[in-house]
Amino acid sequence: MKPCDSVWNGTHALCGPALLIPGLGKCGTNAIANYLALHPRVKLTNQSEVMFDPRDVPVDALVRQHNPGVGPDDPYVWVMKHPGLENRHASVLARRLRQAYPSASVALALCDPAQRAFRFFIYFLEHELRLHGQRATFTKFAQITLRRRYNATVEELYSSIIGMRTNCVRSEPAKRLIAALRNDGYVIPPNWLLEDSWDPLGHGVCDPILAKDSRLDRWVEDWLDAGYVVNETLAAVFMESWSTQGQPMIRRLLHIMHLPESEYPWERAAVIFTQRVYDSEARRRYFKKGAPDMDVARPLMHHQCGSMTRLLGERPPWCRQLHGRLGVDVGVASSGRRNERGARRRRSDSASEHEELRTAQ
């Protein structure tokens, strides 16, 4: 039976959403919704992003406004997403959603935390330039305006704003660059040109996106603590895995939504899965070598690989790049395999992890 929280609209019953996608932003929430919409029984809301926190919109009002014609007696379900909900306290939000939409499952869009802040930076930079389209395209801004007028690159601008290498203290050249941009009317991105006055984890991480990503495992754990169960009412979807694991991830989503796999256009989807999830001129130009300051960001973000693996029952794809150094599946292996050789390896891995974290701090 399909998931359906029934809501009366005055003349007939409507179903609440079968799947909620609360984030993470810039981790492919659109991809999840669009790939699911290939199934003939899945419908999306007419509005791309719907704020579905019950604190903001009563359930009845939201369903009446955004339900795309799905009722209890038809074969359809619908999906609702809003990546901005990642900014809400998940420990509270998840419980509100469990109570408001008890039949709905949740899909968490996850991606490499070491690159997400730079992806946000590029996104907001492109958005700012679109608002001032008469001023510059991204290429003109990067290669002419930024380089010739400010003697800086996009990567240097990002590093100046984030300031990871200086424990949140901006250098004088960085301050002058930011001041010049602000004086010229640029807002790149919201709040990122303001003075950084906080470092919530004491790791030299001043930006709120970086601070969140450095403990992404806690965000995932909050959903589990609210009663969601991995692969039953909660699915983790990794942006970097669509080209290689697209079919298993879709099967996982169809399972929690109680939809038949046989009706999904697998051959057509296989071609689409190979396309870039996040594609733009800046994405092609500036992500070839990875985000800036990766030698600092990677150990800081990837120390959580072990806990993420335990929570989700699988290792995130970005952790596999570490060749077992930071993404060790501690506690996952069966007791029969925990021989002395494995114990020595885990102790060595743990020492490496602590040393890299100490260096990053």
Side-chain angles (χ1 to χ4, degrees):
M1 180 180 296
K2 73 174 186 178
C4 177
D5 297 312
S6 184
V7 171
W8 186 255
N9 77 341
T11 59
H12 60 282
L14 297 172
C15 286
L19 184 72
L20 305 171
I21 308 173
L24 297 164
K26 305 270 72 74
C27 281
T29 56
N30 281 329
I32 298 175
N34 292 335
Y35 294 163
L36 281 174
L38 295 175
H39 195 288
R41 300 195 189 188
V42 174
K43 294 187 176 185
L44 305 180
T45 54
N46 292 329
Q47 181 178 322
S48 175
E49 296 180 359
V50 176
M51 182 58 69
F52 52 82
D53 187 345
R55 186 190 70 179
D56 299 325
V57 184
V59 174
D60 292 0
L62 184 144
V63 172
R64 293 191 192 104
Q65 181 178 355
H66 295 288
N67 179 299
V70 176
D73 300 323
D74 60 46
Y76 303 106
V77 298
W78 60 294
V79 175
M80 190 161 50
K81 75 176 187 70
H82 199 298
L85 282 171
E86 71 165 83
N87 298 318
R88 305 289 174 93
H89 292 289
S91 58
V92 179
L93 173 65
R95 287 176 170 79
R96 286 200 294 261
L97 292 175
R98 284 283 290 174
Q99 182 176 4
Y101 304 100
S103 298
S105 297
V106 169
L108 302 180
L110 305 176
C111 61
D112 188 345
Q115 294 199 19
R116 195 169 76 102
F118 186 56
R119 190 175 294 117
F120 256 110
F121 169 77
I122 292 295
Y123 169 78
F124 280 118
L125 181 55
E126 289 181 308
H127 177 71
E128 164 68 10
L129 294 173
R130 280 196 300 270
L131 292 179
H132 302 84
Q134 72 282 7
R135 178 184 294 167
T137 64
F138 190 94
T139 300
K140 184 177 180 181
F141 174 81
Q143 298 181 0
I144 299 177
T145 306
L146 188 61
R147 182 179 292 276
R148 294 183 183 179
R149 183 169 184 177
Y150 303 104
N151 193 29
T153 65
V154 170
E155 294 86 352
E156 289 170 345
L157 175 59
Y158 171 82
S159 298
S160 296
I161 292 173
I162 299 301
M164 287 184 62
R165 295 179 176 276
T166 55
N167 291 325
C168 307
V169 179
R170 287 178 177 151
S171 66
E172 288 304 316
K175 290 180 180 179
R176 288 195 294 271
L177 173 61
I178 292 169
L181 286 165
R182 294 186 69 183
N183 289 337
D184 286 344
Y186 288 100
V187 183
I188 312 172
N191 301 326
W192 283 16
L193 294 184
L194 302 179
E195 285 297 323
D196 295 317
S197 59
W198 62 288
D199 180 12
L201 297 178
H203 290 166
V205 182
C206 305
D207 179 73
I209 294 176
L210 287 173
K212 181 183 186 64
D213 287 347
S214 66
R215 289 317 308 262
L216 190 58
D217 53 339
R218 291 182 179 175
W219 186 72
V220 173
E221 191 172 18
D222 284 339
W223 292 93
L224 301 180
D225 288 344
Y228 291 98
V229 179
V230 173
N231 295 334
E232 293 184 17
T233 54
L234 182 141
V237 181
F238 304 109
M239 187 185 78
E240 294 85 355
S241 294
W242 280 113
S243 61
T244 58
Q245 298 294 316
Q247 186 175 116
M249 291 194 298
I250 286 293
R251 291 186 187 278
R252 183 182 306 165
L253 293 167
L254 296 180
H255 169 73
I256 67 175
M257 297 170 70
H258 306 287
L259 292 176
E261 298 179 4
S262 60
E263 297 181 16
Y264 193 81
W266 296 109
E267 292 185 4
R268 177 187 171 195
V271 177
I272 299 176
F273 291 159
T274 62
Q275 300 172 359
R276 285 191 178 98
V277 171
Y278 177 67
D279 196 15
S280 67
E281 176 189 358
R283 168 67 173 85
R284 292 188 296 271
R285 183 181 298 275
Y286 293 101
F287 278 87
K288 291 180 180 179
K289 298 180 180 180
D293 303 334
M294 288 291 283
D295 57 327
V296 177
R298 188 175 295 279
L300 180 62
M301 301 299 170
H302 289 193
H303 74 278
Q304 58 193 308
C305 281
S307 57
M308 288 285 285
T309 301
R310 290 193 296 273
L311 290 169
L312 298 173
E314 61 181 316
R315 183 183 297 179
W318 54 86
C319 295
R320 300 191 188 107
Q321 301 172 6
L322 305 179
H323 306 294
R325 296 180 64 210
L326 299 181
V328 180
D329 297 344
V330 179
V332 174
S334 63
S335 58
R337 298 173 59 188
R338 292 175 180 171
N339 52 31
E340 181 57 30
R341 181 178 177 181
R344 287 197 301 270
R345 184 178 65 252
R346 287 192 293 273
R347 287 195 294 270
S348 175
D349 290 334
S350 178
S352 298
E353 174 183 340
H354 287 300
E355 176 61 24
E356 294 210 39
L357 280 174
R358 186 187 66 78
T359 302
Q361 295 175 22

